Amino acid sequence: MKLMIASDIHGSAKFCKQMLEAYSREGAEKLLLLGDLLYHGPRNDLPQEYNPKQVIKMLNERKKELLCVRGNCEAEVDQMVLEFPVLAEYMILYLDHRTIFVTHGHHYNLSTLPPLQDGDILLHGHTHVQAIQKSGEIWYLNPGSISIPKEGNQHSYMLYEEGTYTIKALDGTILKESPNFSTLT
C-alpha cells in the first residue's frame, strides 16, 4: 500500500492544488489528511491564495480517496460543506505489525501521549514542522505543513510505502526518510 500524508492546508488553493498534483504524480492509493483543511486560524497569517471555497471543491472531487482527522481549526460547519468525514479526533492504522495513532496533534502529541506500545508510531501535523524521530520507546512522525511551514521547513508532505516513511517537498525532492519499519524489531 502507498499512502500520501499531508497536513495543514489552511484554505490555500495554491498549495492544495500543488498537493493534489503531487498525490497524482506519486500514484498513492489514499490521501491521509491530518486536519486544518479550510481555516487559517487566528495564530497564522493568511496563506497564499487563501480560498477555502476552492479548497472545498478540489477536496470534494477526491472524496473517495481521502481519509481525514479533525484539526483544531475544523468546525461543525466544515463537515456541512465537505463530502467526506473530517470530525474524527484520531484514527488507528495497523501497518508493519505496529499501531499508528493518527491525529492532528493538538490533543495527543509528544507531551500528551496516547496509549502506545514500544515501537508504535504517533503521526500528527499541527506544529507545521517535519519530523521522523524516535522519542523514548515510540516513533514520532510529522509531514510538516502543506501551506504554512514553520522553523525553516519547506512546504511538504509524507509518503508511506513498503515500510518506509519519506518526507518530500511539494516538487518531490526527498527531505527526510525513516528506517524501514517492516524490518525493525
Side-chain angles (χ1 to χ4, degrees):
M1 168 178 278
K2 187 174 189 178
L3 292 174
M4 183 168 154
I5 304 159
S7 191
D8 298 283
I9 300 167
H10 287 290
S12 171
K14 173 183 179 172
F15 291 112
C16 183
K17 181 177 185 243
Q18 289 180 22
M19 174 193 71
L20 293 173
E21 288 168 352
Y23 173 68
S24 294
R25 181 179 67 243
E26 296 286 1
E29 296 170 50
K30 293 284 185 183
L31 176 56
L32 174 56
L33 298 174
L34 304 180
D36 285 0
L37 306 179
L38 303 178
Y39 179 55
H40 68 286
R43 295 178 296 181
N44 296 310
D45 293 332
L46 283 174
Q48 291 181 28
E49 294 182 32
Y50 181 69
N51 187 340
K53 288 182 181 179
Q54 186 61 32
V55 171
I56 291 165
K57 181 179 182 305
M58 287 187 277
L59 293 178
N60 281 342
E61 288 172 354
R62 301 283 188 122
K63 65 186 172 190
K64 293 181 181 178
E65 301 163 62
L66 303 179
L67 302 170
C68 190
V69 294
R70 181 183 200 157
N72 58 300
C73 292
E74 259 75 63
E76 298 288 329
V77 71
D78 296 348
Q79 188 61 82
M80 297 168 94
V81 296
L82 292 167
E83 298 170 1
F84 54 94
V86 298
L87 297 179
E89 293 294 330
Y90 64 90
M91 76 174 64
I92 305 291
L93 300 176
Y94 295 99
L95 297 170
D96 305 313
H97 306 288
R98 61 187 79 232
T99 298
I100 297 91
F101 190 94
V102 181
T103 190
H104 180 64
H106 60 296
H107 291 301
Y108 292 105
N109 50 56
L110 289 177
S111 298
T112 309
L113 289 172
L116 294 170
Q117 295 181 336
D118 291 357
D120 286 344
I121 297 170
L122 173 62
L123 171 62
H124 73 68
H126 185 58
T127 65
H128 301 218
V129 178
Q130 305 155 5
I132 296 176
Q133 66 191 50
K134 189 98 191 262
S135 180
E137 298 304 316
I138 66 159
W139 283 88
Y140 166 56
L141 307 177
N142 189 320
S145 174
I146 287 294
S147 71
I148 310 172
K150 295 185 178 174
E151 295 185 15
N153 281 227
Q154 296 183 46
H155 302 268
S156 60
Y157 62 93
M158 182 180 284
L159 282 180
Y160 165 82
E161 185 175 26
E162 297 180 13
T164 301
Y165 295 84
T166 306
I167 297 175
K168 292 186 172 186
L170 283 173
D171 68 3
T173 304
I174 294 175
L175 303 173
K176 297 179 184 197
E177 192 166 77
S178 75
N180 188 314
F181 282 93
S182 60
T183 61
L184 289 179
T185 56

